[in-house]
Amino acid sequence: MKLVKQYIEKDKSGYVTLIPEEFEDMWHVYNLIQKHDQLRAVTIRRIQSESSTGSVDSQRIRLTLSISVDNVDFDTQVGMLRISGRVIVENPHVKLGTFHTIDLEMNRSFTLIKPEWDVIALERVQEACDITKKADVAAVVCQEGLANVCLLTSSMTIIRQHIDCPVPRKRKGSVTNYEKGLKRFFEQIYQAILRHIDFDIVKCVILGSPGFVREQLYDYIFAEAVRTDNKTIMHNRSKFIVVHTSTGHKQALQEVMNDPAIKIKLADTKAAQEVQALDQFYEMMNMDPDRAFYGFKDVSKAAERGAIGTLLVTDELFRAADVVKRRQYIALVESARASGGKVFVFSSLHVSGENLNQLTGVAAILNFPLPDLDDEEEEEQVPEDVADLDEDGLPRMHSNQNHDILDAVLG
């Protein structure tokens, strides 16, 4: 997705102009557009005109319309959005208030105006437009003294850092200078990996080189991680793949990506993380049910106590036409993050999102058990005639009842 322009006021109202460039971008747009938003885009409309002789002429013309969104349909087969609503800006060819449907397609710009850009909507724009958020693959292609640290997407490669560090040649009887130079070279690569690779996003890190440089680099990275107690690197050891390339230049990545073994490794990481989180929730329900809650009421109570470790919520809930309901879920997400919880927004187009929808669309894995939550609910549901008993189990007399009895006795 290309962000052409963005302007958000302090009261969170504002607009963004976007150009969707691939199918996934259309899914992001579908999740962005809500009922009562305003949309401005180029569309085609059939216009009829009557001549002086009474004949009617019909022609299709391109024009820019602004509508107040009433309904949004997403055709997942062709990746097209149909947004219908009433025209809100006067146009020479279209009357104010008439109903019109705009077809949004890839590589066509549009402007979306919202009365309130909440945190979920802004994050989705950022996610769709930030190329590094889509970079599921990182690669270090190198040869002695030369390395390129790259991030890859389906459509482009970004070189995050180019490293040029001369390594002295081996000399007869002495390899000290060579080993020092190689260590200095590997240290620069190691620091570049720490700086540029987000292991929460990246599904694998490819180390490619001619010769044996890649194996030496691999050994150095994990020896250094052990020495410095870098748990992030050590926990993600399985993501590192060592492969042969003919050169240390960027062009060698083409050889790597065509390798069938690499293609198998590059499964959809976001979906895999969601499935893993949902599996952990099911496991927690079986092992420790006081740490696994679902349904908005219970999960929000857990959030109030700062107990949420992982929040699972489907994107469908943020498309709710009910503004109050949408804001409740946004507040829940913000509350979970504020207390240090991790949030997974599941795609309702994925199987894991469908499964989560069967659990009301929202669930949470807690940092600590809350067994008293069920007791609180039971107390809330106790009938008034049962709750109003004294310590002996007898009906408690209210002050006005006491006065009535006293009057009857004295009367």
Side-chain angles (χ1 to χ4, degrees), residues 43 45-47 63 65-70 83-102:
T43 185
R45 182 150 178 146
R46 185 178 296 277
I47 303 297
L63 46 86
L65 286 184
S66 296
I67 64 171
S68 176
V69 177
D70 183 66
I83 299 100
S84 52
R86 297 196 176 276
V87 176
I88 56 172
V89 176
E90 197 168 354
N91 187 287
H93 303 284
V94 182
K95 292 181 179 180
L96 199 66
T98 55
F99 203 76
H100 187 79
T101 298
I102 294 176

Side-chain angles (χ1 to χ4, degrees), residues 142-176:
C142 59
Q143 58 195 50
E144 285 188 358
L146 174 69
N148 289 286
V149 180
C150 311
L151 296 176
L152 292 81
T153 71
S154 58
S155 58
M156 63 188 300
T157 300
I158 314 141
I159 297 178
R160 301 302 291 173
Q161 187 169 339
H162 175 79
I163 298 169
D164 196 345
C165 178
V167 177
R169 293 184 178 181
K170 293 180 182 178
R171 296 182 181 275
K172 278 189 177 181
S174 175
V175 293
T176 305

Side-chain angles (χ1 to χ4, degrees), residues 302-363:
E304 289 171 5
R305 291 160 175 76
I308 294 180
T310 304
L311 178 67
L312 292 65
V313 59
T314 61
D315 54 17
E316 197 170 277
L317 296 172
F318 301 111
R319 293 199 300 272
D322 186 342
V323 176
V324 174
K325 182 179 178 182
R326 177 181 168 85
R327 285 178 177 169
Q328 285 177 336
Y329 283 102
I330 290 166
L332 180 61
V333 168
E334 292 176 338
S335 175
R337 285 177 176 165
S339 60
K342 192 170 185 178
V343 177
F344 287 96
V345 179
F346 285 58
S347 169
S348 54
L349 279 187
H350 195 271
V351 174
S352 59
E354 293 175 0
N355 292 338
L356 183 57
N357 272 330
Q358 293 175 4
L359 291 173
T360 73
V362 60

Side-chain angles (χ1 to χ4, degrees), residues 186-203:
F186 287 161
E187 175 62 20
Q188 289 189 34
I189 296 175
Y190 180 77
Q191 293 300 325
I193 289 172
L194 297 181
R195 189 179 306 113
H196 298 297
I197 297 177
D198 185 344
F199 285 94
D200 288 335
I201 298 172
V202 166
K203 67 184 68 167

Side-chain angles (χ1 to χ4, degrees), residues 298 300-308 335 339 368 370 372-373 376:
D298 286 349
S300 60
K301 284 185 177 180
E304 289 171 5
R305 291 160 175 76
I308 294 180
S335 175
S339 60
F368 49 86
L370 290 176
D372 59 322
L373 202 61
E376 290 179 13

Side-chain angles (χ1 to χ4, degrees), residues 46-111:
R46 185 178 296 277
I47 303 297
Q48 291 183 338
S49 57
E50 187 175 345
S51 66
S52 56
T53 59
S55 62
V56 177
D57 182 38
S58 178
Q59 59 179 338
R60 293 165 62 87
I61 62 171
R62 293 171 63 90
L63 46 86
T64 300
L65 286 184
S66 296
I67 64 171
S68 176
V69 177
D70 183 66
N71 187 55
V72 183
D73 287 322
F74 182 38
D75 187 336
T76 57
Q77 299 301 314
V78 297
M80 185 175 71
L81 284 165
R82 295 179 64 84
I83 299 100
S84 52
R86 297 196 176 276
V87 176
I88 56 172
V89 176
E90 197 168 354
N91 187 287
H93 303 284
V94 182
K95 292 181 179 180
L96 199 66
T98 55
F99 203 76
H100 187 79
T101 298
I102 294 176
D103 292 338
L104 282 187
E105 298 176 350
M106 287 183 280
N107 299 310
R108 289 187 180 180
S109 69
F110 68 92
T111 298

